[in-house]
Amino acid sequence: LKVVSNLCIMPIRTKKWTGSKANQYVSRERACKKLQLSLPSFRKLCILKGIYPHDPRTKHRNHGQKRVYYHAKDIKNLRREPLLWRWRAQNTYRDKITKHKGRHNWEKVKRMQLSVPQINIDHLVRERYPKFSDALRDLDDCVTFVFLFASLPSGIIPSLSSLRRLECQRLCQELRHYMVEHGALTKAFLSVKGVYYQCRVRSKYDVTFVVPHAFVHSVPQDVDFRVLSSFLDFYQNMLKFVVYKLYRDAHMKYPPFGDIDYDLTNLSLSRLRALKFEKTRKINFQKISRTGTEKENETGTGVEVSDSQVTEVEQKKKIVQLDLSTILREENKNSADKEQNQNTDEEVLMSRRKSWNRGNLFQDFKFLLNRETPQTELEFVLLAMGAKVVFEQDSGNKLEDVSITHHILDRNIAESQKRSTRQYVQPQWVFDCLNTGAVIPTEHY
């Protein structure tokens, strides 16, 4: 009995290198051997799962200092990933195809190529974003990535096909259509990289993304597009979930433009919207002033109204106009006066900004966009503020239309060609009106 009790009291000996904190991390080479994956496949799996390398404080001397390390628990969880088994099934299926190619059995090769096991990553989106609010908070990089690849040329690598680029364009147009319908665009900024937009989704989440300019892009040679394509695989699937959820929660039909060809996504947003809203459209009464809603609620909300009745209601609405001279005077005030009235001024500005509705800011205006202006960017901003847009190349005989109130151009024009019924402004005026939330006078533009 004494011998047994002594054996129970003896401490458990641990092996060498097992008690260190460095064992909580695994090098990338060792992780590839455990998972039986090549380096590109392991990199793609980590991107899809959202697993990133870490720099441990303590490292083994034998392993070296220049290695890439991952958490051992993350690598352990990757063993149970069903995506691994789909990849292995694809590899075995491709080996069978190559075997039949060597036997010159071409009919069977054609049949097998049509039934290759496909990979679905929907479960990864639900795993990384269990709540829809989490997906809306991380939507910035997702939207920027999809807009980037929608403008890049196809065929950079085999996985970036033309069909995939057109699908990205379709997602971008659907997201823009949702922003226009709800007046979610709050800010915009022009830069060398592109146009920065900020949209407020569900009046709570601010989504900031960049849209590149509509120019011919030179493809850089020092960028690994295989890594970017793996990011696009996840972001494209994630944006499909988000757009579909936004449309369903807003009780909007999805897809919004019906069953159209992918080539039609190259059309402008106003033309795509015209395919659906030709004769009648439903009015969102939340965007109308109180006086208008009281009269219209007697007949009911969400009723189809003709265009003539819509114009009558829109003429009754008031537009917030901002005097530029008052802004310049306030800037020249003394700093002491600003400190005293800082709290009161902020409260007044916040109350005014709540009353400013950017969705109805340009509701009585019709814009003509010249060819030299950024038409796609201006169209999105103007439609989000309730304006009507006409392109110069699509107008034809409508250049002399009296209903056009503003002519946006970016070059000099003779005084004899100007019309008294229009106001000629630069594109910057539109973005300044959006950022300030009011219609700025066109004297300085």
Side-chain angles (χ1 to χ4, degrees):
L1 293 173
K2 291 182 179 180
V3 175
V4 174
S5 62
N6 291 331
L7 290 174
C8 296
I9 296 171
M10 290 177 63
I12 300 173
R13 293 183 179 180
T14 56
K15 294 183 180 180
K16 192 177 182 181
W17 304 112
T18 56
S20 175
K21 291 183 179 180
N23 290 320
Q24 298 177 1
Y25 301 91
V26 180
S27 63
R28 188 171 61 183
E29 296 179 359
R30 193 175 177 184
C32 291
K33 289 181 180 179
K34 283 186 176 182
L35 299 174
Q36 298 179 0
L37 289 174
S38 61
L39 183 59
S41 300
F42 176 75
R43 188 188 291 119
K44 184 175 182 179
L45 182 62
C46 291
I47 290 171
L48 294 177
K49 290 284 290 184
I51 296 173
Y52 299 100
H54 298 272
D55 189 15
R57 293 182 179 178
T58 58
K59 300 177 183 179
H60 292 308
R61 297 177 182 177
N62 298 333
H63 290 177
Q65 299 293 328
K66 295 183 179 180
R67 291 190 177 184
V68 181
Y69 292 91
Y70 292 85
H71 274 299
K73 291 184 178 180
D74 294 338
I75 304 302
K76 189 177 181 180
N77 293 331
L78 286 179
R79 292 181 178 181
R80 297 186 294 269
E81 176 58 39
L83 197 62
L84 283 175
W85 301 101
R86 302 295 294 176
W87 282 352
R88 288 164 185 166
Q90 276 189 347
N91 292 332
T92 55
Y93 201 84
R94 286 168 184 166
D95 292 340
K96 292 180 181 179
I97 292 176
T98 54
K99 182 180 69 174
H100 288 288
K101 281 182 180 179
R103 296 177 180 178
H104 300 284
N105 195 356
W106 303 114
E107 294 182 358
K108 195 167 185 178
V109 169
K110 289 181 181 179
R111 280 189 271 114
M112 291 182 70
Q113 286 177 350
L114 296 174
S115 60
V116 178
Q118 300 298 325
I119 294 176
N120 191 6
I121 59 173
D122 293 344
H123 66 284
L124 296 178
V125 179
R126 291 190 290 265
E127 180 183 341
R128 292 178 62 176
Y129 301 103
K131 294 182 180 179
F132 186 60
S133 59
D134 299 336
L136 292 178
R137 290 189 186 95
D138 291 346
L139 202 61
D140 299 348
D141 295 337
C142 174
V143 178
T144 303
F145 231 87
V146 175
F147 270 98
L148 172 63
F149 278 89
S151 62
L152 288 177
S154 59
I156 302 174
I157 57 175
S159 60
L160 298 177
S161 60
S162 59
L163 186 64
R164 193 175 184 185
R165 180 179 60 84
L166 291 173
E167 190 175 356
C168 291
Q169 290 180 358
R170 180 180 61 84
L171 287 173
C172 295
Q173 295 289 19
E174 290 173 357
L175 185 63
R176 282 174 175 170
H177 175 64
Y178 176 83
M179 299 297 178
V180 168
E181 284 293 308
H182 293 268
L185 188 64
T186 57
K187 292 181 182 179
F189 175 72
L190 288 168
S191 68
V192 179
K193 293 182 180 180
V195 185
Y196 287 81
Y197 295 108
Q198 189 177 44
C199 301
R200 182 161 295 174
V201 183
R202 291 186 171 183
S203 66
K204 186 177 180 181
Y205 305 100
D206 290 333
V207 180
T208 307
F209 57 95
V210 188
V211 178
H213 295 290
F215 300 143
V216 179
H217 300 284
S218 59
V219 180
Q221 301 296 330
D222 55 346
V223 177
D224 192 357
F225 283 94
R226 293 176 297 178
V227 178
L228 296 180
S229 65
S230 57
F231 276 102
L232 183 63
D233 289 337
F234 180 79
Y235 285 146
Q236 188 176 355
N237 208 351
M238 175 185 171
L239 190 59
K240 288 180 183 178
F241 274 86
V242 172
V243 172
Y244 178 75
K245 178 70 174 174
L246 289 174
Y247 272 80
R248 287 298 299 270
D249 291 349
H251 303 287
M252 298 172 63
K253 182 183 177 182
Y254 188 83
F257 310 119
D259 296 331
I260 60 175
D261 297 332
Y262 281 102
D263 295 337
L264 291 177
T265 54
N266 291 325
L267 298 175
S268 61
L269 185 60
S270 57
R271 188 177 295 180
L272 285 173
R273 287 162 53 85
L275 296 175
K276 180 183 176 183
F277 306 107
E278 289 182 352
K279 298 181 180 179
T280 57
R281 63 187 179 91
K282 290 186 178 181
I283 299 178
N284 188 1
F285 290 98
Q286 295 178 356
K287 295 183 180 179
I288 302 176
S289 59
R290 295 179 180 177
T291 58
T293 51
E294 291 176 357
K295 296 179 180 179
E296 291 166 1
N297 285 334
E298 296 177 358
T299 58
T301 57
V303 184
E304 292 186 354
V305 185
S306 60
D307 291 338
S308 61
Q309 295 177 358
V310 172
T311 54
E312 291 178 0
V313 175
E314 289 177 352
Q315 289 176 359
K316 296 179 182 179
K317 303 175 191 174
K318 296 181 180 180
I319 301 173
V320 180
Q321 292 199 2
L322 197 64
D323 190 4
L324 198 61
S325 60
T326 57
I327 299 175
L328 298 175
R329 290 174 186 173
E330 290 179 358
E331 291 180 354
N332 295 327
K333 286 183 180 180
N334 296 327
S335 59
D337 296 336
K338 288 183 179 180
E339 291 178 357
Q340 293 177 359
N341 301 325
Q342 185 176 5
N343 296 328
T344 57
D345 291 341
E346 287 181 356
E347 292 177 357
V348 172
L349 286 173
M350 290 299 293
S351 61
R352 286 181 181 178
R353 285 177 182 174
K354 289 180 181 178
S355 62
W356 290 342
N357 191 352
R358 291 174 174 83
N360 292 329
L361 199 61
F362 288 164
Q363 58 188 352
D364 295 333
F365 298 157
K366 188 174 182 179
F367 291 81
L368 176 64
L369 307 181
N370 267 21
R371 296 173 184 268
E372 69 274 6
T373 58
Q375 292 182 342
T376 55
E377 291 82 1
L378 287 172
E379 180 194 22
F380 175 49
V381 176
L382 291 172
L383 290 177
M385 291 192 287
K388 296 179 181 179
V389 181
V390 179
F391 290 162
E392 183 185 9
Q393 61 270 21
D394 299 335
S395 57
N397 297 327
K398 296 181 181 179
L399 292 174
E400 300 178 357
D401 191 0
V402 185
S403 62
I404 296 175
T405 58
H406 292 76
H407 192 163
I408 300 179
L409 44 86
D410 203 5
R411 59 184 177 185
N412 297 327
I413 187 172
E415 293 292 336
S416 60
Q417 297 180 359
K418 293 183 178 180
R419 304 180 185 278
S420 59
T421 58
R422 300 180 187 176
Q423 294 184 0
Y424 295 87
V425 293
Q426 295 177 352
Q428 187 61 38
W429 177 79
V430 178
F431 293 96
D432 290 344
C433 290
L434 174 67
N435 295 328
T436 55
V439 180
I440 299 176
T442 60
E443 300 172 356
H444 300 277
Y445 295 91

